[in-house]
Amino acid sequence: MILLSGGTGTPKLLAGIRKIIPEEEITVIVNTAEDTHVSGNLVCPDIDTVLYLFADSIDTTKWWGIRDDTFASNEALRRVGHQEIMRIGDRDRATHILRSELLREGRTLTEATCELAQRFGISATILPMTDQEVATQIITPDGEMHFQEYWITHGGEPDALSVRIHGIEEAVPSDAVLSAFDNDDSVIIGPSNPITSIGPILRLHGMREILREKQVVAISPIIGSAPVSGPAGKLMRACGYDVSSAGVLECYRDLPDVFVIDREDLDIGTEIDGARIVRADTMMTSVEKSVALSRLVVDLFGT
Ligand code: GDP
């Protein structure tokens, strides 16, 4: 089973998927367009969350960082006048240091991620979507800024006029991503931000062509006219999409064979442009709810 993932909604689903599918049979292709350097180390927010989920150390109150982490290094830096864009925990920073060290030794991001996963004792395959650098930039009335600056420094407050993904035109899926698709025909597009998390994955060269040949089940991250969390609504609007499950399906266009929307959502019929619409409780407020949704999603394959 292959999942396309960002760093919150799909990891919540993965918390259930890993309870019903053997971990060795799970491949997660993760967005890297939100990656950024903090104090000299490469932070991959979405990859880190997926790593920590499988390592049973994710902080599920925030869906980023390590549970019960301490912040001594961040506070020490602040005391000497160095304010970090993100409040990086000490153990979390250890991951970033090791990743950056591996990259400095000449490993690719894919190799560094697999090495981290192995050292954390993870048997699922966690793959960055690409080894090339891509960066999501938000265009605001005051200029263009990196997604993390927009979301963390400015709290997602400025108007978003459009979204640009630098480097995406030249970016290709890594070899590891391509061979994962050679061996697996079942793909879940998790309930992640369709613009900043799933969007960059789908825009990689050749990705849509690959997915068109697969059985794809997508889950909507929007319930009614709002996302469960995060800036998806504002950014969908900035890109010209309606903030609704129908708008999400428009982003994915012809890819999903089945599109799962919340049972509380507006009735959008039983089929749109070839995608069968299935209603379910998609609000994952506990592991039990993640497992229930995962079971429903996995059972949709082959139906
Ligand atoms: P990011 O990388 O941290 O932005 O995280 P993602 O893109 O993976 O996830 C953000 C999206 O997940 C948001 O659009 C949320 O609406 C969605 N999301 C978060 N929790 C849930 C949930 O329990 N159910 C559903 N359906 N969507 C969720």
Side-chain angles (χ1 to χ4, degrees), residues 2 5 8 23 38 52 64 74 80 82 93 104-105 158 168 174 176 183 201 205 236 254 290:
I2 296 178
S5 183
T8 306
E23 233 176 83
V38 178
Y52 299 152
W64 58 266
N74 174 268
V80 293
H82 179 76
R93 193 186 306 278
R104 270 191 295 273
E105 285 170 6
I168 201 71
S174 67
N183 299 314
I201 304 177
H205 187 75
M236 284 179 75
D254 54 340
S290 297

Side-chain angles (χ1 to χ4, degrees), residues 113-253:
T113 305
C114 292
E115 175 82 35
L116 287 169
Q118 198 192 353
R119 293 194 194 199
F120 288 153
I122 297 169
S123 44
T125 305
I126 301 169
L127 301 175
M129 63 180 197
T130 180
D131 282 320
Q132 288 158 277
E133 249 179 68
V134 289
T136 296
Q137 300 278 126
I138 311 297
I139 319 301
T140 75
D142 298 327
E144 185 171 333
M145 57 184 88
H146 189 276
F147 174 79
Q148 301 297 356
E149 190 186 350
Y150 175 79
W151 184 237
I152 298 178
T153 314
H154 296 282
E157 282 296 321
D159 283 343
L161 303 178
S162 63
V163 178
R164 202 171 283 160
I165 305 172
H166 276 290
I168 201 71
E169 266 75 36
E170 300 80 44
V172 294
S174 67
D175 289 345
V177 165
L178 294 176
S179 57
F181 282 121
D182 284 343
N183 299 314
D184 206 325
D185 287 328
S186 304
V187 180
I188 296 172
I189 301 181
S192 283
N193 188 320
I195 305 298
T196 55
S197 295
I198 304 299
I201 304 177
L202 298 184
R203 284 187 56 191
L204 293 170
H205 187 75
M207 188 56 97
R208 279 186 172 271
E209 290 71 17
I210 292 171
L211 291 175
R212 253 179 235 127
E213 302 302 313
K214 304 292 178 190
Q215 204 184 359
V216 176
V217 176
I219 300 111
S220 179
I222 303 284
I223 300 180
S225 57
V228 177
S229 59
K234 214 165 171 177
L235 300 182
M236 284 179 75
R237 219 171 287 120
C239 294
Y241 294 103
D242 191 36
V243 185
S244 63
S245 287
V248 174
L249 190 54
E250 215 183 310
C251 296
Y252 301 156
R253 299 201 298 272

Side-chain angles (χ1 to χ4, degrees), residues 23 30 32 35 41-57 66 90-105 107-128 131:
E23 233 176 83
V30 192
T32 56
D35 296 3
N41 298 314
L42 182 64
V43 179
C44 303
D46 294 354
I47 291 176
D48 289 340
T49 293
V50 175
L51 283 170
Y52 299 152
L53 174 90
F54 281 103
D56 288 316
S57 59
I66 292 177
D90 299 320
R91 288 167 60 206
D92 193 16
R93 193 186 306 278
T95 304
H96 307 153
I97 291 172
L98 179 53
R99 167 184 298 126
S100 304
E101 193 62 17
L102 292 166
L103 293 172
R104 270 191 295 273
E105 285 170 6
R107 316 278 188 97
T108 61
L109 184 60
T110 299
E111 289 165 346
T113 305
C114 292
E115 175 82 35
L116 287 169
Q118 198 192 353
R119 293 194 194 199
F120 288 153
I122 297 169
S123 44
T125 305
I126 301 169
L127 301 175
D131 282 320

